[in-house]
Amino acid sequence: MNEVHVKTILSARQIIKDYPVPGGASLRILKGIDLEIHASEILAVVGESGAGKSTLLHLLGGLDRPTEGSVAIGNTDISRMNDSEIARFRNRHIGFVFQFHHLLPEFTALENVAMPGLIQRGDPKTLFNKATKLLAEVGLAERTTHKPRELSGGEQQRVAFARALINDPVLVLADEPSGNLDINNSTSLHRLMWKLVREKGCTFLVATHNRELAKEADRRIELSDGRIRIG
Ligand SMILES: Nc1ncnc2c1ncn2[C@@H]1O[C@H](COP(=O)(O)OP(=O)(O)OP(=O)(O)O)[C@@H](O)[C@H]1O
Ligand SMILES: [Mg+2]
């Protein structure tokens, strides 16, 4: 993929998202979102609870489909792909960090980090070496053989972040990555994530309630009443 060389990493056009409500009607959550994300940019998405931040991230990352509109990542229009094509594209090119880490409980930190690469049938030895390095970069060199339940909440999120980076994604999407942490841990997790994405030159889109942290992003957008308000 040569998309990493183009200036716009993600381009969303007129995204509309309706959710069905009982009785056959539907609720319009996103009302026409146009968004361009540039290469190596850190973009924060803020907005009230229920504004549609998670909905937008899921659409941009191909976890869900818009009712109308299109999403292109690099030169690839993911809205035209079928489900298995999207799944493959996502695993290869996009890293996700969720509010609750979604680590696999029966696997070690190292195995969890390597997993998206193993799914891509990458070389296990190379992947475990890379996962070891990533865990060291997030400050968990001493925790590689721990299972998720043996890690603190902040440590679990750092493992999830290392996992998001294993396939050298062009785009990392983080949805309230520190939502279950106290303010000190939340701040240090964000700082760590931003330092690493800057070092690696990834493009990073983060939905957060934390407006102070959002101010440190390169750019900030606010979702309000289904539309983008530039912040
Ligand atoms: N699967 C669904 N079916 C129906 N409605 C949904 C669904 N998912 C989300 N919604 C509705 O869409 C709206 C936006 O939800 P979303 O989770 O995107 O908000 P958010 O901005 O991420 O909020 P928060 O800050 O609380 O995480 C909410 O009002 C929610 O009720
Ligand atoms: Mg949300």
Side-chain angles (χ1 to χ4, degrees), residues 40-55:
S40 302
E41 178 175 43
I42 295 181
L43 178 69
V45 182
V46 297
E48 298 299 316
S49 181
K53 303 181 294 298
S54 299
T55 300

Side-chain angles (χ1 to χ4, degrees), residues 129-183:
N129 283 338
K130 193 168 171 189
T132 304
K133 189 161 173 278
L134 281 168
L135 280 170
E137 287 181 315
V138 298
L140 295 175
E142 311 292 316
R143 300 284 186 280
T144 55
T145 58
H146 282 54
K147 302 266 175 75
R149 67 172 177 280
E150 298 162 343
L151 297 166
S152 74
E155 288 170 346
Q156 290 173 15
Q157 285 305 72
R158 282 185 273 155
V159 173
F161 180 57
R163 177 184 56 183
L165 299 176
I166 191 77
N167 284 339
D168 297 317
V170 287
L171 177 66
V172 178
L173 299 171
D175 189 4
E176 295 289 354
S178 60
N180 57 346
L181 302 179
D182 64 46
I183 187 72

Side-chain angles (χ1 to χ4, degrees), residues 26-69:
S26 65
L27 199 57
R28 182 149 294 185
I29 300 300
L30 300 178
K31 300 177 177 173
I33 302 285
D34 281 311
L35 180 63
E36 298 228 326
I37 306 178
H38 312 298
S40 302
E41 178 175 43
I42 295 181
L43 178 69
V45 182
V46 297
E48 298 299 316
S49 181
K53 303 181 294 298
S54 299
T55 300
L56 179 64
L57 255 64
H58 288 178
L59 297 175
L60 299 183
L63 290 169
D64 194 8
R65 289 177 187 277
T67 308
E68 287 178 36

Side-chain angles (χ1 to χ4, degrees), residues 203-223:
T203 306
F204 190 58
L205 178 59
V206 58
T208 179
H209 283 120
N210 189 327
R211 285 170 190 268
E212 288 306 308
L213 280 166
K215 283 183 192 158
E216 295 175 22
D218 297 328
R219 191 156 63 100
R220 196 164 60 109
I221 58 170
E222 176 161 4
L223 279 183

